[in-house]
Amino acid sequence: FGRTEVIDNTLNPDFVRKYILDYFFEEKQNLRFDLYDVDSKSPDLSKHDFLGQMFCTLGEIVGSPASRLEKPLGGIPGKKCGTIVLSAEELSNCRDSATMQFCANKLDKKDFFGKSDPFMVFYRSNEDGTFTICHKTEVVKNTLNPVWQPFTIPVRALCNGDYDRTIKVEVYDWDRDGSHDFIGDFTTSYRELARGQSQFNVYEVINTKKKMKKKKYVNSGTVTLLSFSVESEFTFLDYIKGG
């Protein structure tokens, strides 16, 4: 059905890619999840190390508390293969897509020899107070004042059509070995972002641990929204209705 992106050098990956499935209440929809460790550029799965698999039904995921299912991976006799966590959410009818661009200023320097290599990770809050990853920016190398490329994201992926839902943004310094250094985070919402470029959309990046240790701590830099626009995606039916 689909394949996630590859996340390098980690035993606790948090995959961004999402899959839209039609849920039929009266049918048993069997799912299988296979995990692999990628060792080469080959798309052929037999060339990669099998890490485990899990079987469930779509109904099991949807029917779990807060639609979050956690199950052990199996498939390798006598070996513990770790755990897989699946989250499902019913999509709202919101068909808007938002395009936005960010930059940052005076981020903390994390690398001993150079400056930081910053990237941002966006999470939307769920109804049970947990967060789900929904976007990762590219890494901008060797700068404390990065300007990231504009990106487009469906509004329902960002907040599932709830404009006041919290969006958490974490800023990291990328490291080749996968142990990315946390610079700080901030929260916003779709309603805030939709105001576009303004003094409201300049965010202080705060590292709570640092704040607790250092009395004079102000912030770990700022992130500024440079632009924001929304487009509606119309369906074939919308065009028919519109004549």
Side-chain angles (χ1 to χ4, degrees), residues 6-102:
V6 173
I7 301 183
D8 291 331
N9 296 318
T10 176
L11 302 179
N12 303 301
D14 195 351
F15 299 103
V16 179
R17 195 162 297 159
K18 305 208 164 22
Y19 300 97
I20 297 175
L21 285 85
D22 291 321
Y23 173 52
F24 303 111
F25 182 70
E26 66 287 349
E27 271 179 39
K28 189 173 181 187
Q29 292 165 274
N30 291 314
L31 303 174
R32 184 179 102 205
F33 297 85
D34 290 2
L35 249 84
Y36 289 89
D37 170 31
V38 167
D39 288 319
S40 67
K41 293 253 188 306
S42 168
D44 179 4
L45 287 173
S46 64
K47 301 259 193 312
H48 306 295
D49 295 331
F50 176 66
L51 296 178
Q53 67 182 181
M54 190 275 270
F55 297 89
C56 68
T57 65
L58 188 53
E60 249 181 286
I61 305 172
V62 173
S64 297
S67 298
R68 183 179 184 276
L69 179 67
E70 199 168 314
K71 273 182 111 172
L73 290 158
I76 304 174
K79 191 173 174 214
K80 281 195 170 147
C81 302
T83 310
I84 185 168
V85 182
L86 305 164
S87 300
E89 185 168 41
E90 188 173 0
L91 287 179
S92 68
N93 285 331
C94 173
R95 287 198 297 269
D96 293 349
S97 272
T99 300
M100 54 190 108
Q101 184 176 20
F102 291 88

Side-chain angles (χ1 to χ4, degrees), residues 26-226:
E26 66 287 349
E27 271 179 39
K28 189 173 181 187
Q29 292 165 274
N30 291 314
L31 303 174
R32 184 179 102 205
F33 297 85
D34 290 2
L35 249 84
Y36 289 89
D37 170 31
V38 167
D39 288 319
S40 67
K41 293 253 188 306
S42 168
D44 179 4
L45 287 173
S46 64
K47 301 259 193 312
H48 306 295
D49 295 331
F50 176 66
L51 296 178
Q53 67 182 181
M54 190 275 270
F55 297 89
C56 68
T57 65
L58 188 53
E60 249 181 286
I61 305 172
V62 173
S64 297
S67 298
R68 183 179 184 276
L69 179 67
E70 199 168 314
K71 273 182 111 172
L73 290 158
I76 304 174
K79 191 173 174 214
K80 281 195 170 147
C81 302
T83 310
I84 185 168
V85 182
L86 305 164
S87 300
E89 185 168 41
E90 188 173 0
L91 287 179
S92 68
N93 285 331
C94 173
R95 287 198 297 269
D96 293 349
S97 272
T99 300
M100 54 190 108
Q101 184 176 20
F102 291 88
C103 71
N105 279 14
K106 296 184 180 162
L107 292 175
D108 280 358
K109 178 172 177 275
K110 289 286 183 186
D111 289 346
F112 193 64
F113 293 113
K115 295 173 177 165
S116 294
D117 304 317
F119 69 96
M120 291 197 292
V121 185
F122 288 73
Y123 300 86
R124 66 152 191 263
S125 62
N126 302 316
E127 278 153 21
D128 62 348
T130 58
F131 285 90
T132 303
I133 190 166
C134 55
H135 181 73
K136 244 183 223 177
T137 68
E138 78 283 9
V139 176
V140 184
K141 288 291 183 72
N142 206 22
T143 175
L144 302 178
N145 303 299
V147 179
W148 288 283
Q149 295 291 327
F151 64 90
T152 302
I153 185 168
V155 171
R156 59 189 182 198
L158 201 58
C159 62
N160 206 18
D162 176 355
Y163 291 175
D164 295 306
R165 197 185 275 209
T166 302
I167 296 165
K168 182 170 77 167
V169 186
E170 295 180 341
V171 186
Y172 287 92
D173 165 37
W174 178 86
D175 280 327
R176 187 174 301 284
D177 66 2
S179 62
H180 311 304
D181 297 319
F182 178 67
I183 294 174
D185 62 14
F186 62 90
T187 57
T188 179
S189 67
Y190 177 83
R191 200 179 294 282
E192 287 285 310
L193 294 170
R195 289 168 148 183
Q197 190 184 20
S198 68
Q199 76 269 27
F200 301 111
N201 277 316
V202 179
Y203 298 95
E204 285 193 277
V205 177
I206 302 293
N207 183 334
T208 316
K209 278 188 186 165
K210 232 176 154 180
K211 195 177 182 178
M212 284 157 75
K213 279 184 196 161
K214 293 187 177 175
K215 279 209 167 82
K216 288 184 177 170
Y217 179 81
V218 182
N219 59 40
S220 295
T222 57
V223 166
T224 304
L225 177 70
L226 293 175

